[in-house]
Amino acid sequence: RFTTIFFPLFAFVFFIALGWLAFVPFEQTVQARGDLRVAGVPASVRAQQEGRLTFIGAREGAFVERGAVLFRLDDTTPRMDLERVADEIGRVTQTIALLGSQRERAASRNAVEIGRLERDIARHRALFEGGILPKEMVENLESERSARVQSARQEQLALETEVVAARQALDRLENDRSRILRAMNEQTIR
């Protein structure tokens, strides 16, 4: 009686487990030991970094040419990092261009405003010399022009500071891109 219940139950569980195993992806791990000889001289091969092999270019016992690709590691993560850095480089480059155009517009706007004030000062000075306007009006315009010149300098300095910060960020991103490209190059073992 026990076997009539136990055996079908055991067979059912066994086939369910076997069916489950048929659909589970397994990764293959290879650990190998061996000798590498270059022109009869023993040489060693060590991984510069850990990773998952996506390509094996030489089979056991095969002779290979110098520079031939032996292995290639999975480069999905570095590629994603490279795309992210490339996007950031694009954004920072656009920011630098935008800041440059803002500097040009501000310089033009300030030059027009300062030119207008200088014309007003010249006109008011002529009227003062003719005895029509008091000296205070000329002095007020001169102090307004001085304040406008100072404000224009500060605006240009602030924009230049932002440009410098953006260029520094761009340099860091370029260094990151170079580092990622070097890492991707190390993904191929020759």
Side-chain angles (χ1 to χ4, degrees):
R1 192 174 219 218
F2 177 73
T3 57
T4 58
I5 294 175
F6 178 73
F7 184 72
L9 184 61
F10 176 75
F12 177 73
V13 170
F14 177 76
F15 285 116
I16 292 293
L18 189 62
W20 177 75
L21 288 174
F23 295 104
V24 173
F26 288 98
E27 290 189 22
Q28 180 181 6
T29 301
V30 176
Q31 294 182 0
R33 297 180 63 128
D35 296 325
L36 176 67
R37 295 188 181 278
V38 177
V41 178
S44 65
V45 175
R46 290 184 182 85
Q48 294 177 345
Q49 59 185 357
E50 291 184 11
R52 187 171 148 228
L53 286 177
T54 58
F55 174 76
I56 299 174
R59 297 291 170 219
E60 184 177 339
F63 290 95
V64 292
E65 298 280 329
R66 180 184 185 125
V69 175
L70 301 176
F71 306 102
R72 191 169 290 128
L73 299 174
D74 183 17
D75 62 353
T76 303
T77 302
R79 281 193 190 282
M80 289 172 40
D81 289 343
L82 189 61
E83 288 176 19
R84 178 188 53 78
V85 167
D87 290 343
E88 289 180 34
I89 286 173
R91 281 193 296 276
V92 170
T93 303
Q94 287 177 346
T95 300
I96 291 171
L98 178 66
L99 288 170
S101 67
Q102 284 178 348
R103 279 178 39 204
E104 289 173 11
R105 282 194 312 271
S108 177
R109 183 183 67 244
N110 290 328
V112 167
E113 183 65 26
I114 292 169
R116 183 191 62 78
L117 287 169
E118 287 175 350
R119 285 189 303 278
D120 287 350
I121 289 170
R123 193 172 57 249
H124 280 72
R125 191 172 280 140
L127 291 173
F128 164 71
E129 290 171 359
I132 299 173
L133 290 177
K135 186 174 182 174
E136 292 82 29
M137 290 188 79
V138 175
E139 290 172 349
N140 286 344
L141 279 174
E142 286 175 342
S143 66
E144 185 180 341
R145 181 192 56 169
S146 295
R148 187 64 181 161
V149 166
Q150 186 62 26
S151 171
R153 284 184 187 142
Q154 289 175 349
E155 185 178 17
Q156 288 295 317
L157 258 170
L159 288 169
E160 184 62 31
T161 301
E162 288 184 48
V163 168
V164 167
R167 286 190 177 138
Q168 288 173 344
L170 184 61
D171 288 342
R172 282 191 302 274
L173 289 169
E174 292 288 347
N175 288 337
D176 286 350
R177 181 172 60 181
S178 296
R179 180 186 48 78
I180 291 168
L181 288 172
R182 279 192 309 274
M184 287 176 70
N185 191 36
E186 292 173 359
Q187 300 287 334
T188 301
I189 295 119
R190 297 180 186 273

